[in-house]
């Protein structure tokens, strides 16, 4: 009983931290993770930023279309991972949880150390009421990126 209560508190605290981070999302994702993936391709980087802008403007279908086209132009696994992360975020925002989980799980099958994928997968599980799965995903996110 106590363990379940602690897990619920940890999941809630992590969710609050994620919501707090939303304020500067575009700036947050204009990070080393994104810049490093698209360092050699400024044109695709700009396309990604446009898709992210649509995502945060709640224009999910526009964002998904841009991301799906961009995915075909990716030249590295890092670029694909970044694009898929934002695709999954679109599905999540639309409450298409199965689609979001599917994308996150495929990402993690390729790179199990992707802390962003773990954190956002945890949010999906949390919204579905799957507290144990959310806790495990958040725990993995913190393991791979303890500074966040």
């Amino acid at each position: 009983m106590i363990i379940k209560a602690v897990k619920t508190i940890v999941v809630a605290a992590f969710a609050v931290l994620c919501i707090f981070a939303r304020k500067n999302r575009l700036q947050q994702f204009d990070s080393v993770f994104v810049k490093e993936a698209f360092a050699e391709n400024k044109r695709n980087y700009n396309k990604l930023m446009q898709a992210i802008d649509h995502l945060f403007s709640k224009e999910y279908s526009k964002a998904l279309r841009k991301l799906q086209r961009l995915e075909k132009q990716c030249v590295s696994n890092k670029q694909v991972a970044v694009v898929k992360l934002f695709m999954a975020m679109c599905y999540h925002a639309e409450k298409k949880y199965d689609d979001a989980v599917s994308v996150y799980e495929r990402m993690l099958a390729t790179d199990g150390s992707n802390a962003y994928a773990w954190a956002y997968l945890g949010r999906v599980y949390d919204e579905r009421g799957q507290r144990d799965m959310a806790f495990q995903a958040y725990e993995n996110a913190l393991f791979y990126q303890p500074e966040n």
Side-chain angles (χ1 to χ4, degrees):
M1 186 67 135
I2 293 173
I3 292 173
K4 188 173 183 177
V6 169
K7 283 183 179 180
T8 300
I9 290 169
V10 169
V11 167
F14 200 86
V16 167
L17 288 174
C18 288
I19 290 167
F20 181 76
R22 287 180 189 172
K23 282 186 168 184
N24 298 316
R25 280 183 175 172
L26 192 56
Q27 194 173 40
Q28 173 189 355
F29 286 107
D30 188 21
S31 66
V32 174
F33 175 65
V34 172
K35 285 183 178 178
E36 185 179 288
F38 288 91
E40 302 295 319
N41 194 330
K42 197 71 163 168
R43 185 173 180 205
N44 281 353
Y45 174 81
N46 289 333
K47 289 178 183 179
L48 177 67
M49 289 296 115
Q50 290 172 357
I52 293 171
D53 189 44
H54 287 304
L55 169 63
F56 297 138
S57 298
K58 298 182 180 183
E59 298 171 320
Y60 305 122
S61 59
K62 283 184 181 180
L64 276 169
R65 280 194 306 273
K66 282 190 178 286
L67 291 166
Q68 288 164 344
R69 283 193 306 263
L70 182 57
E71 182 183 14
K72 295 173 185 173
Q73 299 170 12
C74 289
V75 295
S76 72
N77 289 338
K78 284 184 178 184
Q79 288 181 3
V80 171
V82 170
V83 171
K84 285 194 176 295
L85 178 70
F86 289 105
M87 289 172 76
M89 290 172 72
C90 284
Y91 290 130
H92 183 179
E94 291 183 305
K95 300 197 182 314
K96 295 180 179 178
Y97 298 127
D98 291 340
D99 292 333
V101 168
S102 176
V103 173
Y104 289 131
E105 287 178 344
R106 285 194 316 264
M107 287 175 64
L108 291 166
T110 304
D111 177 12
S113 65
N114 187 321
Y116 289 109
W118 281 116
Y120 283 102
L121 179 61
R123 288 183 60 199
V124 173
Y125 287 143
D126 186 23
E127 288 179 28
R128 288 172 134 183
Q130 296 172 288
R131 301 287 187 252
D132 289 339
M133 299 286 284
F135 181 80
Q136 190 173 24
Y138 290 148
E139 196 172 54
N140 285 329
L142 290 171
F143 176 79
Y144 290 113
Q145 200 170 35
E147 66 276 6
N148 284 333

